[in-house]
Amino acid sequence: MGFRKDFLWGGATAANQCEGGYNEGGRGLANVDVVPIGEDRFPVIAGKKKMFDFDDEHFYPAKEAIDMYHHWKEDIKLFAEMGFKTYRLSLGWSRIFPQGDETEPNEEGLKFYEDIFKECKKYGIEPLVTITHFDCPMHLVEKYGAWRSRELVGFYENLCNVIFNRYKGLVKYWLTFNEINMILHAPFMGAGLYFEEGDNVEQVKYQAAHHELVASAIATKIAHEVDPENQVGCMLAAGSYYPYTPKPEDVWAGRQEERENYFFIDVQSRGEYPAYALKEMARKGIKVKMEEGDKELLKAHTVDFISFSYYSSRVATTDPELLEQTAGNIFASVKNPYLEASEWGWQIDPLGLRITMNDLYDRYQKPLFIVENGLGAVDTPDENGYVEDDYRIDYLSKHVEAMRDAVDQDGVDLLGYTTWGCIDLVSAGTGEMKKRYGFIYVDRDNQGNGTLKRSKKKSFDWYKKVIATNGEDLSN
Ligand code: P53
């Protein structure tokens, strides 16, 4: 009983939210650099706000972030001390291809990640690598319109050829696109997309999504060719929908919301556009342009496992305007009256994780990997940087328990669990430092002040014990 013997316990980060060093080592500028702190950080609306560079009025947290660019050795040592079996990180595309469309990669960027992977191996930590976590070189955004252009597929393919060959033997677990469904909800952050006046926004989004899906299949193909040991996963921003009432219309509304997200995973895991998506696109007049061979490619190179992030369940209804909404601009949904919420209004639902796991496992019958889960909270450190974060321990222990139930009681095949932001980092949704997820506190505030000193929170020792007992002892 319990988790598999080789269960991959660990933590997760993303390059743009922790590395900093935005102009070091020959790195090029990326979409994720030029979004300032604030709820309204993404220029989504046509013609409104277009941020292609820095300005003097705003603070850009990704520039320095928590400066992992210079602290990675110390940080990995702390992960090892907790007993991490895996560490999920992402590659900064513009470190390896500063412009994105070069033929030759930037050696300094490649070497940076190679050193990190070697350091992980030293401690027996298996790297889990997200090839792109929301980032796209700014040059590709400006010159090609990012993923709206088919040419991005080729540039991504170049990146994949380089990294799979270079990191062969060092990295085995790969994720192609972080939260691939985010392209619909936050297109600039998710895929570097922006819209001009007169654009058919839905058309552009689904065309870009198609390019990402093809790129993902190509990545899977190359990964398997270069090293049959490679395991490639898709990555979904998950969280099942509950109908607000038993009214059939509410149930139906939930089904439709889920399909919008499942669409991506259906293609990546089953290898074809699902019937409901084809019908929906036809109804909306969306015509996805495919090239010869695309369909065969998608069919032949499906993913090995399904990874996802889970923070909350969601609620669907036919008349959302009559009901209170949750906070958070990206995945706001109707408020569930039975659930508590975090300080940022994200509703807390451990059983929802078990439900989500069952939904995904029933649908795809492939191993699952939970690659993000956690509580964003305000931490108040004492003079030594120690944080008594019982609220975080409470959140995580309940979620681990629910995931254990999914494994033990329901028979879900789960490869591993990496908590989000195992070390405090910049929030993707708001750009704040104040919204912390870590077991490790980082002395830095929203304005960029602080010593960047790392210190252990109470949850550090808690997680260490959870890992040591393979999830048996969750007590605080
Ligand atoms: P933050 C929204 C909803 C679900 C997942 O989010 C999300 C978002 C983006 O805000 O993104 C993932 O930092 C993402 C991470 C992100 C994390 O969730 O807004 O993969 O990059 O940091 C948590 O609290």
Side-chain angles (χ1 to χ4, degrees):
M1 291 289 268
F3 298 109
R4 47 201 290 168
K5 291 259 170 314
D6 57 353
F7 193 77
L8 292 165
W9 294 97
T13 61
N16 72 90
Q17 291 172 258
C18 65
E19 279 178 12
Y22 79 103
N23 58 0
E24 291 181 63
R27 183 182 179 282
L29 212 58
N31 60 336
V32 286
D33 300 328
V34 297
V35 286
I37 190 169
E39 287 277 347
D40 187 27
R41 56 199 312 244
F42 310 115
V44 174
I45 302 153
K48 260 212 169 160
K49 200 170 50 166
K50 212 187 316 175
M51 285 178 240
F52 281 177
D53 209 340
F54 305 117
D55 65 28
D56 298 331
E57 287 154 58
H58 295 90
F59 177 69
Y60 297 90
K63 278 186 168 180
E64 282 97 30
I66 60 160
D67 195 30
M68 210 190 246
Y69 191 68
H70 298 107
H71 289 73
W72 56 271
K73 262 196 182 162
E74 165 191 356
D75 295 341
I76 293 171
K77 189 163 178 233
L78 286 165
F79 300 158
E81 196 184 326
M82 272 187 278
F84 276 24
K85 311 282 184 217
T86 187
Y87 167 43
R88 174 179 177 227
L89 70 159
S90 80
L91 304 175
W93 187 346
S94 62
R95 273 201 196 288
I96 298 174
F97 286 97
Q99 303 276 307
D101 57 1
E102 301 94 335
T103 43
E104 292 306 312
N106 170 33
E107 172 55 29
E108 221 177 322
L110 279 174
K111 176 82 167 48
F112 172 66
Y113 294 109
E114 183 181 332
D115 289 345
I116 288 183
F117 300 148
K118 285 186 172 156
E119 191 74 6
C120 287
K121 290 275 163 177
K122 198 174 102 183
Y123 294 111
I125 297 174
E126 188 70 51
L128 165 59
V129 178
T130 318
I131 299 170
T132 44
H133 191 119
F134 296 153
D135 65 331
C136 184
M138 270 318 287
H139 174 73
L140 297 186
V141 173
E142 293 185 79
K143 184 160 177 204
Y144 304 89
W147 282 97
R148 73 162 67 204
S149 161
R150 176 84 195 194
E151 280 170 284
L152 269 273
V153 177
F155 303 140
Y156 187 89
E157 183 174 349
N158 265 354
L159 174 69
C160 288
N161 266 315
V162 167
I163 60 177
F164 294 146
N165 283 297
R166 175 69 173 243
Y167 304 133
K168 185 175 171 174
L170 281 174
V171 181
K172 179 175 147 193
Y173 292 97
W174 301 92
L175 306 178
T176 53
F177 288 88
N178 181 62
E179 295 188 336
I180 190 163
N181 51 323
M182 197 59 98
I183 192 172
L184 302 179
H185 306 274
F188 186 71
M189 173 171 80
L193 287 183
Y194 65 93
F195 306 103
E196 302 288 5
E197 222 68 66
D199 266 347
N200 178 343
V201 171
E202 290 284 290
Q203 170 70 36
V204 174
K205 280 185 188 175
Y206 278 96
Q207 188 61 56
H210 178 70
H211 295 149
E212 287 194 348
L213 291 166
V214 169
S216 178
I218 291 175
T220 310
K221 175 177 184 274
I222 304 172
H224 290 153
E225 281 167 4
V226 171
D227 187 351
E229 288 281 292
N230 276 330
Q231 295 285 308
V232 184
C234 53
M235 200 303 199
L236 173 74
S240 291
Y241 277 88
Y242 304 156
Y244 189 72
T245 72
K247 196 166 69 172
E249 286 78 5
D250 278 357
V251 177
W252 184 240
R255 194 69 65 87
Q256 283 174 305
E257 297 265 22
E258 302 220 295
R259 281 177 167 175
E260 201 177 273
N261 295 317
Y262 281 149
F263 159 70
F264 297 88
I265 310 306
D266 284 353
V267 177
Q268 288 173 297
S269 183
R270 296 165 161 175
E272 55 194 71
Y273 274 52
Y276 65 83
L278 295 173
K279 289 286 187 190
E280 171 92 0
M281 285 177 189
R283 256 193 316 274
K284 287 184 168 167
I286 299 169
K287 289 197 182 71
V288 172
K289 190 167 175 270
M290 299 204 189
E291 283 191 2
E292 223 189 292
D294 281 1
K295 280 191 181 146
E296 292 72 20
L297 202 69
L298 293 173
K299 192 69 195 170
H301 305 287
T302 55
V303 291
D304 302 305
F305 65 94
I306 313 287
S307 88
F308 64 97
S309 61
Y310 176 83
Y311 294 91
S312 187
S313 54
R314 298 152 187 166
V315 174
T317 170
T318 46
D319 24 47
E321 49 297 325
L322 303 178
L323 299 159
E324 200 185 338
Q325 301 279 315
T326 61
N329 50 356
I330 296 174
F331 270 107
S333 93
V334 170
K335 203 165 182 170
N336 186 329
Y338 299 99
L339 301 176
E340 304 280 302
S342 77
E343 289 158 292
W344 271 264
W346 292 25
Q347 292 200 286
I348 300 171
D349 181 11
L351 181 55
L353 174 58
R354 181 175 174 183
I355 294 168
T356 300
M357 289 172 73
N358 275 277
D359 283 348
L360 289 170
Y361 195 60
D362 286 350
R363 194 175 180 101
Y364 301 112
Q365 293 284 297
K366 285 187 187 178
L368 304 184
F369 205 140
I370 301 169
V371 297
E372 283 184 33
N373 172 239
L375 178 71
V378 178
D379 287 335
T380 315
D382 67 13
E383 64 279 5
N384 301 315
Y386 185 72
V387 180
E388 230 162 300
D389 55 346
D390 294 290
Y391 38 90
R392 184 167 292 111
I393 294 173
D394 185 59
Y395 177 102
L396 292 172
S397 60
K398 286 180 176 145
H399 283 77
V400 172
E401 212 177 308
M403 120 188 155
R404 199 167 62 190
D405 287 343
V407 170
D408 266 355
Q409 318 275 335
D410 310 326
V412 170
D413 184 8
L414 184 65
L415 296 174
Y417 175 72
T418 59
T419 65
W420 176 248
C422 46
I423 181 167
D424 291 346
L425 38 63
V426 175
S427 159
T430 68
E432 292 165 290
M433 255 324 286
K434 201 176 162 195
K435 190 180 186 188
R436 297 171 184 275
Y437 286 86
F439 303 114
I440 299 162
Y441 185 83
V442 178
D443 179 24
R444 185 169 171 87
D445 69 14
N446 279 356
Q447 284 73 43
N449 308 304
T451 60
L452 293 168
K453 185 174 169 288
R454 276 73 165 144
S455 55
K456 300 172 192 172
K457 302 181 194 176
K458 190 178 178 187
S459 54
F460 185 99
D461 287 316
W462 173 81
Y463 197 45
K464 184 176 177 176
K465 180 184 66 182
V466 172
I467 297 175
T469 62
N470 202 21
E472 284 300 316
D473 187 354
L474 303 177
S475 65
N476 183 357

